[in-house]
Amino acid sequence: MLDHIFLTVNDIDRSIAFYEQVLPVLGITARLDYDGKDGPSGHPDLKGFGANGRMFFWLRQGHAAPGAVHVGLVATSPAMVDAAHAAAMAAGASEIHPPGPQRHYDPRYYAAQVRDPDGYSLEFVHKSWQHEGQQP
């Protein structure tokens, strides 16, 4: 199980604004800024997002590498997938595929996929056999 992920972004303020509009739709409502000087030598400043007492999605300033990362985020229903997709598009994402069944994976796999402002692939995913009623 993953504990956290760092995404390196080109414009930290733009990315914070984007994710502050999108992640709350998925129940990811906590925010934390970590000052790198409080860590070991060379630790970057981090802008974190989380839920349920955990910070697990972190942004850091640098040179984005969008082809290196795809992030799938849990949605607890198809309606949540639709809402996250709409929020991402309103926040400036570009669409990879609209919400709908992803039958090539499983007939119960419902998802939408967008690119964030740095080009990272984000997928909002509802897998009914895995995610029913699950908290983010």
Side-chain angles (χ1 to χ4, degrees):
M1 184 173 294
L2 294 176
D3 182 72
H4 60 274
I5 185 170
F6 290 3
L7 282 186
T8 303
V9 298
N10 293 323
D11 181 334
I12 195 77
D13 293 328
R14 177 186 69 185
S15 293
I16 290 168
F18 175 82
Y19 284 103
E20 283 181 335
Q21 292 180 57
V22 177
L23 295 178
V25 174
L26 299 164
I28 303 170
T29 57
R31 274 275 293 114
L32 177 69
D33 291 343
Y34 178 80
D35 191 334
K37 71 176 176 42
D38 295 335
S41 178
H43 197 292
D45 291 341
L46 299 170
K47 308 302 181 179
F49 298 83
N52 302 320
R54 290 184 54 240
M55 302 306 291
F56 50 85
F57 187 84
W58 296 90
L59 303 175
R60 66 179 173 187
Q61 180 69 46
H63 297 289
V69 178
H70 166 83
V71 178
L73 297 162
V74 172
T76 58
S77 69
M80 187 181 276
V81 169
D82 296 347
H85 174 266
M89 295 303 291
S94 59
E95 187 173 72
I96 297 172
H97 71 72
Q102 304 302 302
R103 289 178 179 31
H104 50 281
Y105 296 129
D106 185 282
R108 303 163 293 172
Y109 190 121
Y110 188 89
Q113 194 172 353
V114 300
R115 291 198 189 285
D116 82 349
D118 285 292
Y120 287 106
S121 169
L122 302 178
E123 187 174 13
F124 312 116
V125 182
H126 175 67
K127 298 176 181 175
S128 61
W129 71 100
Q130 293 179 0
H131 302 157
E132 283 301 321
Q134 181 179 350
Q135 294 299 312

